[in-house]
Amino acid sequence: GIGNEEIQNAMTTRLVKARGEEFVARLTPAQSRDSCDALAKEIYSQVVNVLVRKMNKRMQPSHLGEDTDQVKDEKSDEKNIGSISLLDLFGFETFEKNSFEQLCINYANEHLQNRYVLDNFQSVKDEYELEGIDIDFDCSTINNSEILNLVEGRMGLISIMNEECTRPRGNSTSFVYKAKMIHKDSDYLVSKKLHRPWEFGVRHFAGVVTYDATDFVERNTDQLPLDLLECATKCTNSLVSTQFDALLVERQCLMKNTRRKQGAMSTTICSKFRKRLAGLIEHISATKTRYVRCIKPNENRKPRVTDHMVTMRQLGSAGIVTAINMSKNIFPNQLPYDVVWDRFHCLSQTDIDTQLEYKEKTTLLLADLFKNSERFVKGQYTTPYVCGKNKVFFRSGALTKLELDRLPIRSDHMSNLSNSVKTVVHRRKFLVMKRAVIKLQAVYRFHVAQRDYKEKVKASAIVYCWMKRLLMRTKRRKLRENKAGIKIQSTW
């Protein structure tokens, strides 16, 4: 921490230098409160910056370190490393009293809306022009470049506000007066007779927002005084002291290397915010962006309740309604010529020379498929499709019709293919089962034959023994008869 006396003196007094002399000026309670708030904001900002740096360092690839040799190759390594970044932002804000914060938030949303228009509408229009297709849609109705020029142009609101911050007696009323005089012919700066001297309106993309510029100049110069900055460097907390040491060195270098007016302008909140926002937009421009629109169903944050007026207002502010209207007037689907031919040539009953170029035979194919499908719109006949230089552009419902017509044919082909595959699979199973049955039959027949053979051998042995017994009995009887005859002869 810091000693009570030191922090008290830093918040209640200022060291003023005038004509080579220094003297201490006491601050009013309101000024002291502003100093305390400025210090708290700066501490919070520095802690968040440290956390963001540490998280990014933890999540970066392990081979990217902080050594000088590795820093040299960082750009080349980043080209080979993919990353996914999430940007979470509030939408346009408008309240009963819109202050400096609302202007900054709406300014950032205007930039993101401009990026959204370039990514989703202007790029589509440029593609159509490149393909040689005329579309009946004016992108100027959704282009907010004039609003950005009003805010950040050469004589925009930010420049006028920064100039008021450098004037000795600059105030918010003078800022509003100058802005209305310089941009009196602008359609986007709203000046009403009922506005008070410190009020002005801006016609944002989402609607008109009236700002109360009472404290704009003070908020814009809301930088930490040098006395408080030097006091914070004496903090015993290493995190706070390290960050404020770097901040003090940066402030001293800025005061030394720039003129007074330029230095004051470059340290204003708007200037810093514009610089960081420009870096963010540059980073977004170099990436492949996907937009996720979050719609708040009701103002009271109740579950399962949808306020249609609130929802439609958000859809209009987000540009979704404009995108839907644009998709109705232009071509929501597009396919290259080779893809169209490969997918839909099966629908045509006309013989088309396959030796032609893809563009020629695809044109003939579509003319046959969409025969008698022209519609009379705005005094002229329009076809459901338009052929460009490299692609075919389909109006709403045209590609769906082709896909629905292709579905039965594809189903038949898939059924035939499925039957053929099933035939092959079942035939293979049948052949396997046939070989198994033949082998099983052979084994069974072997065992049956072996059993019969053994029985036959056994029977043959029995018959042989019985025959041999008969022969031996006959032989024995003859021997007895011979013996008896010999005995009788010897007696006689």
Side-chain angles (χ1 to χ4, degrees):
I2 305 174
N4 293 336
E5 185 176 353
E6 292 183 7
I7 192 67
Q8 181 178 352
N9 292 334
M11 287 188 178
T12 57
T13 60
R14 284 290 175 272
L15 183 63
V16 181
K17 296 180 180 181
R19 297 179 181 179
E21 297 182 0
E22 296 182 355
F23 58 91
V24 177
R26 299 193 64 82
L27 303 179
T28 63
Q31 292 174 335
S32 299
R33 192 181 303 109
D34 292 339
S35 299
C36 180
D37 293 342
L39 179 61
K41 290 178 183 178
E42 194 61 42
I43 292 176
Y44 179 80
S45 175
Q46 295 300 325
V47 171
V48 170
N49 289 338
V50 171
L51 289 176
V52 170
R53 284 200 300 269
K54 290 198 173 191
M55 285 190 291
N56 289 337
K57 183 179 178 181
R58 289 286 185 183
M59 291 187 292
Q60 73 178 3
S62 58
H63 69 279
L64 289 181
E66 296 183 353
D67 299 337
T68 55
D69 294 338
Q70 292 178 338
V71 170
K72 293 179 182 179
D73 299 332
E74 183 175 354
K75 291 184 179 180
S76 60
D77 289 336
E78 287 180 351
K79 295 180 180 179
N80 301 323
I81 298 174
S83 64
I84 300 176
S85 302
L86 299 178
L87 178 62
D88 186 10
L89 282 180
F90 288 102
F92 288 92
E93 290 190 352
T94 176
F95 304 109
E96 293 183 2
K97 180 181 178 181
N98 300 288
S99 58
F100 182 74
E101 288 78 8
Q102 277 69 51
L103 178 63
C104 293
I105 291 173
N106 292 339
Y107 167 49
N109 279 283
E110 287 289 355
H111 252 298
L112 293 174
Q113 180 64 31
N114 182 261
R115 187 71 248 170
Y116 175 76
V117 169
L118 292 177
D119 288 341
N120 294 277
F121 302 116
Q122 191 64 42
S123 60
V124 174
K125 182 180 178 182
D126 295 340
E127 182 181 8
Y128 288 162
E129 292 178 353
L130 183 63
E131 291 285 337
I133 299 175
D134 296 330
I135 59 172
D136 186 16
F137 187 82
D138 186 11
C139 290
S140 62
T141 58
I142 57 174
N143 193 351
N144 62 343
S145 300
E146 292 295 330
I147 305 176
L148 292 177
N149 187 50
L150 170 66
V151 178
E152 64 178 9
R154 185 172 177 273
M155 293 301 293
L157 299 180
I158 294 179
S159 299
I160 299 173
M161 196 185 310
N162 289 340
E163 185 178 355
E164 283 298 312
C165 293
T166 60
R167 291 180 61 242
R169 295 183 180 180
N171 56 76
S172 300
T173 304
S174 177
F175 155 69
V176 174
Y177 176 77
K178 288 183 179 180
K180 289 184 177 181
M181 291 301 296
I182 294 174
H183 299 283
K184 60 183 179 180
D185 297 329
S186 176
D187 296 332
Y188 298 97
L189 184 69
V190 180
S191 178
K192 297 182 180 180
K193 293 182 179 180
L194 296 179
H195 279 172
R196 287 173 287 186
W198 54 84
E199 289 182 343
F200 68 98
V202 176
R203 195 182 305 277
H204 288 289
F205 179 82
V208 178
V209 179
T210 302
Y211 294 98
D212 186 344
T214 303
D215 54 354
F216 270 31
V217 175
E218 291 77 9
R219 293 286 185 89
N220 195 33
T221 56
D222 187 16
Q223 62 175 347
L224 196 64
L226 195 60
D227 296 347
L228 270 179
L229 192 58
E230 293 176 349
C231 179
T233 58
K234 301 175 183 178
C235 180
T236 56
N237 188 300
S238 60
L239 175 63
V240 176
S241 61
T242 302
Q243 293 301 115
F244 277 86
D245 282 336
L247 195 62
L248 179 61
V249 172
E250 181 183 355
R251 178 77 64 81
Q252 291 174 349
C253 293
L254 185 64
M255 295 173 62
K256 185 184 299 183
N257 297 332
T258 60
R259 292 182 298 176
R260 179 179 178 273
K261 185 174 181 179
Q262 292 179 346
M265 285 188 176
S266 62
T267 56
T268 60
I269 299 298
C270 280
S271 298
K272 293 180 180 179
F273 187 78
R274 178 169 58 180
K275 182 178 179 181
R276 293 183 179 181
L277 184 59
L280 174 64
I281 297 300
E282 182 181 357
H283 178 70
I284 293 176
S285 303
T287 59
K288 189 174 183 180
T289 311
R290 292 291 180 268
Y291 296 88
V292 179
R293 295 292 188 179
C294 300
I295 304 300
K296 185 167 59 175
N298 59 80
E299 296 288 355
N300 300 323
R301 300 179 181 178
K302 293 183 179 180
R304 300 179 181 179
V305 176
T306 301
D307 188 335
H308 295 291
M309 295 300 295
V310 174
T311 304
M312 288 302 299
R313 185 171 67 249
Q314 294 178 79
L315 291 175
S317 301
I320 305 299
V321 177
T322 306
I324 294 174
N325 293 332
M326 185 176 182
S327 65
K328 291 181 179 179
N329 296 329
I330 59 176
F331 308 93
N333 305 109
Q334 52 181 294
L335 290 174
Y337 284 106
D338 55 342
V339 176
V340 175
W341 173 259
D342 292 338
R343 290 181 68 85
F344 304 118
H345 75 275
C346 59
L347 300 177
S348 178
Q349 302 297 329
T350 306
D351 294 332
I352 300 175
D353 187 5
T354 57
Q355 301 299 324
L356 297 174
E357 295 291 334
Y358 274 115
K359 183 176 181 179
E360 297 178 4
K361 59 185 180 183
T362 302
T363 304
L364 296 175
L365 171 66
L366 294 176
D368 179 53
L369 296 180
F370 288 105
K371 190 183 301 181
N372 301 324
S373 298
E374 294 84 359
R375 293 181 298 174
F376 190 75
V377 180
K378 295 182 180 180
Q380 59 181 356
Y381 288 96
T382 59
T383 57
Y385 66 94
V386 173
C387 295
K389 295 180 180 178
N390 303 304
K391 299 178 181 179
V392 179
F393 294 82
F394 296 93
R395 297 188 188 277
S396 179
L399 186 60
T400 304
K401 176 184 177 301
L402 292 179
E403 292 290 351
L404 291 177
D405 293 341
R406 177 174 172 263
L407 186 60
I409 299 177
R410 185 181 180 187
S411 299
D412 293 340
H413 290 173
M414 289 299 296
S415 178
N416 295 334
L417 179 61
S418 176
N419 293 336
S420 300
V421 172
K422 288 180 181 179
T423 301
V424 173
V425 172
H426 287 294
R427 178 171 177 77
R428 288 180 179 177
K429 290 182 179 180
F430 169 74
L431 293 177
V432 171
M433 293 176 65
K434 182 179 179 181
R435 286 194 294 269
V437 169
I438 292 174
K439 187 175 181 180
L440 180 61
Q441 289 178 345
V443 172
Y444 177 75
R445 289 173 181 172
F446 168 75
H447 286 292
V448 171
Q450 188 179 35
R451 184 189 61 189
D452 294 344
Y453 172 74
K454 289 182 179 179
E455 290 179 355
K456 289 179 181 179
V457 169
K458 184 177 180 181
S460 299
I462 292 173
V463 171
Y464 175 76
C465 292
W466 184 75
M467 292 297 296
K468 191 173 182 180
R469 176 174 173 270
L470 290 178
L471 291 174
M472 293 304 296
R473 286 182 65 182
T474 303
K475 186 176 180 180
R476 180 183 175 190
R477 187 175 64 252
K478 287 182 178 182
L479 288 174
R480 282 182 178 181
E481 289 176 355
N482 292 334
K483 186 177 179 182
I486 293 171
K487 190 175 180 181
I488 290 172
Q489 287 178 357
S490 63
T491 305
W492 288 95

